[in-house]
């Protein structure tokens, strides 16, 4: 299982921070999705243009979790966001 | 807000076919089409088949109604019902107002709202309070406005619509009825006497999102701001979901409201003989400090 390099957020997708969480809205599809505090942390770094390797480094540093667990969880999250049209993978 | 002065009533006319397909359609539980939404050169056309057409300007500020010829005899009641309960909330949403599928009641001079899709019990709860010493503020099309001290609910038309099972239990024969139509399957009651109405805006203390009733007792659980944002968007009146700018603006307003921290999930068994207990649980919870 290998993390992709990077991702970008489609133009029609907007997000708002709500407390510690984030709510994402696809203006074209009219669909929305919520991220908990950890997901919000990852989303912020995706928005900042960081690569997934960099994001893994940051998450491992911020939360006391094994790297393979972090990579697995990040991969699951980005796969779900991609399936919902909320992320575009960048090679 | 519910003044009919803004509504221009045109002459009855045939509902001629529209070239473009509707961008949205509302369908009744029996499969019949209730409303078709069309875009026009000057705004929107909302068609209630065999009942009336409503033309709404692009900014939502002007509304004109053209009844179908066959309903002209009862047009005035029909037009009021369609305009106040269906069209006006949508027009207001286009003006940037926050309008929800929700009822609201006044408890100790604060507003408590019940947000839900159809048939979840919003009107029954409102009627239950309004016939037991409290006042209802709105039955549906709940308008939320920003105020100096936070958010407040603005009263709507002083009427309440109930299905047959709720009518016989909650409403005394003394309450005035409006004429009804088969398509709505509800009876409309006018406020007054045994059905008390609050005609002033009230600050919001609680917004309860109603569950599906598959519980054995009253349950009230707090929602996070993110969960609330999503629920508010789900239950909002939106005339044009494809208006990106409007949707983004709406999203921002919903998030601001969600951040107030007074949102809960409320669920209870749907039994008329337990409504008094449900009311008391809501009153106790609503009057607690947040």
């Amino acid at each position: 299982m290998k993390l992709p390099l990077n991702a970008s957020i489609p133009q029609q997708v907007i997000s708002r921070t709500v407390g510690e969480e984030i709510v994402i809205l696809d203006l074209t599809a009219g669909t929305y999705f919520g991220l908990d505090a950890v997901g919000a942390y990852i989303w912020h770094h995706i928005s900042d243009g960081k690569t997934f390797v960099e994001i893994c480094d940051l998450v491992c540093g911020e939360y006391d979790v094994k790297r393979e667990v972090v990579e697995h969880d990040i991969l699951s999250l980005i796969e779900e966001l991609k399936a919902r049209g909320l992320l575009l993978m960048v090679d | 807000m519910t003044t009919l002065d803004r509504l221009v009533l045109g002459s009855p006319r045939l509902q001629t076919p529209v070239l473009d397909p509707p961008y949205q359609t509302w369908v009744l539980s029996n499969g019949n089409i209730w409303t078709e939404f069309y875009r026009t050169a000057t705004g929107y056309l909302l068609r209630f088949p065999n009942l009336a057409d409503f033309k709404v300007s692009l900014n939502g500020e002007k509304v004109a109604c053209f009844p179908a010829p066959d309903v002209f005899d009862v047009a005035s009641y029909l037009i009021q019902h369609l305009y106040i309960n269906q069209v006006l909330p949508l027009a207001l949403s286009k003006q940037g107002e926050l309008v929800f599928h929700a009822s609201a009641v006044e408890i100790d001079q604060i507003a408590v709202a019940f947000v839900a899709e159809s048939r979840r019990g919003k009107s029954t709860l409102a009627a239950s309070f309004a016939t037991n010493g409290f006042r209802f503020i709105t039955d549906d099309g709940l308008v939320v406005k920003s105020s100096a001290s936070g958010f407040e609910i603005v009263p709507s038309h002083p009427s309440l619509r109930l299905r047959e099972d709720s009518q016989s239990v909650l409403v005394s024969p003394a309450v005035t009825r409006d004429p009804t139509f088969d398509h709505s399957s509800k009876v409309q009651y006018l406020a007054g006497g045994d059905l008390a109405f609050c005609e002033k805006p009230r600050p919001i203390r609680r917004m309860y999102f109603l569950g599906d009733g598959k519980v054995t007792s009253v349950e009230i659980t707090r929602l996070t701001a993110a969960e609330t944002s999503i629920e508010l968007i789900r239950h909002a009146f939106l005339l044009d979901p494809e208006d990106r700018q409007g949707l983004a603006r709406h999203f921002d307003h919903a998030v601001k409201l969600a951040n107030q921290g007074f949102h809960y999930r409320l669920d209870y068994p749907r039994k008329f003989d337990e409504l008094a207990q449900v009311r008391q649980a809501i009153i106790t919870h609503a009057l607690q400090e947040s």
Side-chain angles (χ1 to χ4, degrees):
Chain A
M1 187 168 51
K2 192 179 170 206
L3 280 177
L5 177 64
N6 208 341
S8 68
I9 297 171
Q11 207 179 12
Q12 76 273 13
V13 173
I14 62 173
S15 64
R16 295 293 182 267
T17 301
V18 192
E20 288 187 332
E21 298 166 288
I22 279 184
V23 178
I24 304 168
L25 174 62
D26 183 330
L27 293 170
T28 300
T31 55
Y32 27 83
F33 190 67
L35 292 175
D36 62 14
V38 176
Y41 182 83
I42 294 167
W43 181 266
H44 279 307
H45 289 304
I46 293 173
S47 304
D48 284 345
K50 290 198 169 46
T51 66
F52 285 118
V53 170
E54 288 171 332
I55 295 174
C56 273
D57 292 341
L58 286 164
V59 173
C60 289
E62 180 75 17
Y63 302 94
D64 185 20
V65 185
K66 288 182 181 173
R67 189 172 184 93
E68 48 267 32
V69 173
V70 169
E71 286 190 0
H72 175 272
D73 289 352
I74 288 180
L75 191 62
S76 296
L77 176 60
I78 60 178
E79 287 296 322
E80 179 158 21
L81 293 171
K82 180 184 159 194
R84 289 170 181 268
L86 301 175
L87 270 190
L88 296 171
M89 295 298 123
V90 175
D91 292 324
Chain B
M1 188 278 272
T2 58
T3 178
L4 296 169
D5 293 345
R6 291 187 210 170
L7 175 64
V8 173
L9 187 60
S11 302
R13 68 181 192 190
L14 289 170
Q15 292 180 315
T16 54
V18 179
L19 276 175
D20 295 320
Y23 68 85
Q24 183 170 246
T25 304
W26 286 353
V27 180
L28 296 170
S29 54
N30 61 11
N32 291 341
I33 292 176
W34 176 235
T35 319
E36 293 171 324
F37 294 71
Y38 298 92
R39 290 199 178 80
T40 69
T42 54
Y44 303 90
L45 169 67
L46 275 56
R47 170 161 289 175
F48 296 84
N50 305 313
L51 297 177
D53 281 347
F54 287 83
K55 291 178 77 171
V56 181
S57 63
L58 203 57
N59 61 8
E61 289 180 8
K62 293 179 187 168
V63 182
C65 172
F66 302 91
D70 291 346
V71 297
F72 186 63
D73 283 347
V74 290
S76 59
Y77 295 107
L78 168 66
I79 298 315
Q80 279 189 46
H81 161 66
L82 292 177
Y83 174 65
I84 290 163
N85 295 309
Q86 311 286 317
V87 178
L88 183 57
L90 291 164
L92 287 172
S93 76
K94 198 70 174 70
Q95 294 175 42
E97 301 279 3
L98 279 177
V99 191
F100 298 106
H101 291 278
S103 64
V105 300
E106 178 201 40
I107 299 175
D108 209 17
Q109 303 206 312
I110 53 104
V112 171
F114 306 110
V115 188
E117 57 263 42
S118 288
R119 308 184 85 96
R120 277 278 169 107
K122 307 188 286 295
S123 299
T124 299
L125 268 181
S128 171
F129 275 91
T131 53
N132 282 281
F134 299 88
R135 302 191 291 178
F136 77 98
I137 306 172
T138 184
D139 176 30
D140 201 348
L142 181 143
V143 177
V144 176
K145 283 192 181 281
S146 238
S147 70
S149 51
F151 286 88
E152 61 183 16
I153 289 174
V154 178
S156 68
H157 190 265
S159 65
L160 222 151
R161 292 173 301 138
L162 293 172
R163 291 202 157 76
E164 194 176 337
D165 53 354
S166 298
Q167 295 159 30
S168 53
V169 173
L170 294 172
V171 184
S172 78
V175 177
T176 306
R177 283 172 63 141
D178 258 353
T180 59
F181 301 91
D182 289 339
H183 59 268
S184 76
S185 74
K186 284 185 169 182
V187 174
Q188 181 157 291
Y189 293 97
L190 297 179
D194 291 347
L195 192 66
F197 178 69
C198 174
E199 56 189 22
K200 295 195 172 163
R202 287 288 180 251
I204 307 176
R205 175 72 70 83
R206 293 283 189 269
M207 286 186 88
Y208 294 105
F209 295 84
L210 302 187
D212 58 13
K214 294 176 184 166
V215 292
T216 54
S217 60
V218 179
E219 294 179 4
I220 299 176
T221 48
R222 192 168 203 140
L223 293 175
T224 65
E227 289 170 329
T228 301
S229 300
I230 291 173
E231 290 291 340
L232 288 172
I233 297 164
R234 275 188 60 219
H235 290 97
F237 277 89
L238 276 174
L239 176 54
D240 189 352
E242 294 175 29
D243 169 13
R244 286 196 191 183
Q245 218 174 9
L247 189 54
R249 192 174 54 233
H250 206 85
F251 187 32
D252 284 335
H253 289 166
V255 165
K256 199 173 163 191
L257 177 57
N259 274 324
Q260 300 305 300
F262 48 55
H263 305 88
Y264 298 82
R265 179 92 57 210
L266 164 67
D267 210 355
Y268 54 95
R270 297 310 196 266
K271 295 179 183 172
F272 289 114
D273 58 3
E274 292 186 24
L275 269 176
Q277 292 162 255
V278 176
R279 276 200 312 275
Q280 190 53 55
I282 292 167
I283 293 164
T284 302
H285 186 264
L287 295 181
Q288 286 170 354
E289 290 302 316
S290 292

